[in-house]
Amino acid sequence: MVITTKKLTFADYIKYNDGTDTKYELVNGELIPMSLGTGKHGGIIEFVNDCFKDEAKKEANPWTSKDMRIGVRSPRGGRWDTSRIPDVTVLPIEQWEALANREAIIELDEPPPILVVEVVSESTKTTDYRSKRSEYAVLNISEYWIIDPIDEVVIVCCLSEGFYDAVSFRDEERIISQIFPELNLSAMQVLQARK
């Protein structure tokens, strides 16, 4: 006996409620539950989010940074909808405020986020390195960080002619960001979630 799962449209996804606090990404019409991850995973997300908020203020950019609060519609191939929830999303304050009275999802016809971050866990490694990297490039997100505490590396992907050029940072190497050029963080500080 084959069990089939009903595919959801984006409209179904927006209305979906299973009575739990589980967050889901929508991938090709299927709900993918997002795990909380380890304490280390959460600590890295919080640390990076706080660093980006501080850096935006310091550099006088009208941006904000949000952790796991914003969905991003994806133009993923196929006929079913996809919507991702990055671990950290940097976007203009004005764009964040425009989401106040509707689902906090950036649509395909809206400007993309400025920067997104995914913190790798064992269960998301392939998706973070491959699928999301492709999807975020197609969306024209200028910078995508892959923070991998498993392999102890921070990878900064910068958009160039529709594709990401990636640079890896390890140990005490200072992370170079085009979005936050004055940021003074080493890979180790990010991976340990402390300055």
Side-chain angles (χ1 to χ4, degrees), residues 157-168:
C157 304
C158 295
L159 198 62
S160 176
E161 298 179 15
F163 296 95
Y164 282 127
D165 292 330
V167 178
S168 298

Side-chain angles (χ1 to χ4, degrees), residues 115-134:
L115 184 155
V116 293
V117 175
E118 297 290 356
V119 179
V120 174
S121 60
E122 288 291 349
S123 64
T124 65
K125 193 166 193 161
T126 300
T127 302
D128 292 341
Y129 274 93
R130 297 178 53 93
S131 303
K132 290 183 181 182
R133 183 173 172 167
S134 299

Side-chain angles (χ1 to χ4, degrees), residues 4-157:
T4 59
T5 305
K6 180 183 180 258
K7 298 276 190 171
L8 300 179
T9 65
F10 183 70
D12 295 334
Y13 170 66
I14 292 297
K15 293 185 278 185
Y16 184 79
N17 181 350
D18 63 2
T20 71
D21 291 334
T22 304
K23 286 186 180 185
Y24 294 93
E25 288 186 330
L26 181 67
V27 181
N28 290 330
E30 294 182 24
L31 294 173
I32 306 297
M34 297 179 64
S35 67
L36 288 175
T38 64
K40 182 175 188 175
H41 186 272
I44 291 170
I45 291 169
E46 182 178 36
F47 176 78
V48 170
N49 190 49
D50 289 345
C51 287
F52 287 166
K53 284 181 184 178
D54 292 345
E55 199 63 25
K57 285 180 188 172
K58 190 169 83 175
E59 294 182 20
N61 289 316
W63 303 340
T64 188
S65 183
K66 301 296 176 189
D67 61 339
M68 298 178 68
R69 297 178 197 279
I70 299 172
V72 179
R73 287 286 301 271
S74 174
R76 187 178 175 96
R79 59 186 203 130
W80 296 104
D81 288 322
T82 296
S83 183
R84 300 293 191 176
I85 303 173
D87 288 328
V88 178
T89 304
V90 176
L91 71 165
I93 291 170
E94 183 178 328
Q95 188 175 20
W96 168 246
E97 290 171 349
L99 298 172
N101 296 314
R102 65 178 178 95
E103 292 291 331
I105 297 174
I106 297 172
E107 295 284 351
L108 291 171
D109 62 349
E110 296 176 317
I114 297 163
L115 184 155
V116 293
V117 175
E118 297 290 356
V119 179
V120 174
S121 60
E122 288 291 349
S123 64
T124 65
K125 193 166 193 161
T126 300
T127 302
D128 292 341
Y129 274 93
R130 297 178 53 93
S131 303
K132 290 183 181 182
R133 183 173 172 167
S134 299
E135 292 170 39
Y136 294 157
V138 170
L139 287 168
N140 289 316
I141 298 173
S142 296
E143 200 164 285
Y144 170 39
W145 287 31
I146 303 169
I147 301 174
D148 187 341
I150 300 163
D151 291 337
E152 297 184 346
V153 63
V154 176
I155 301 168
V156 176
C157 304

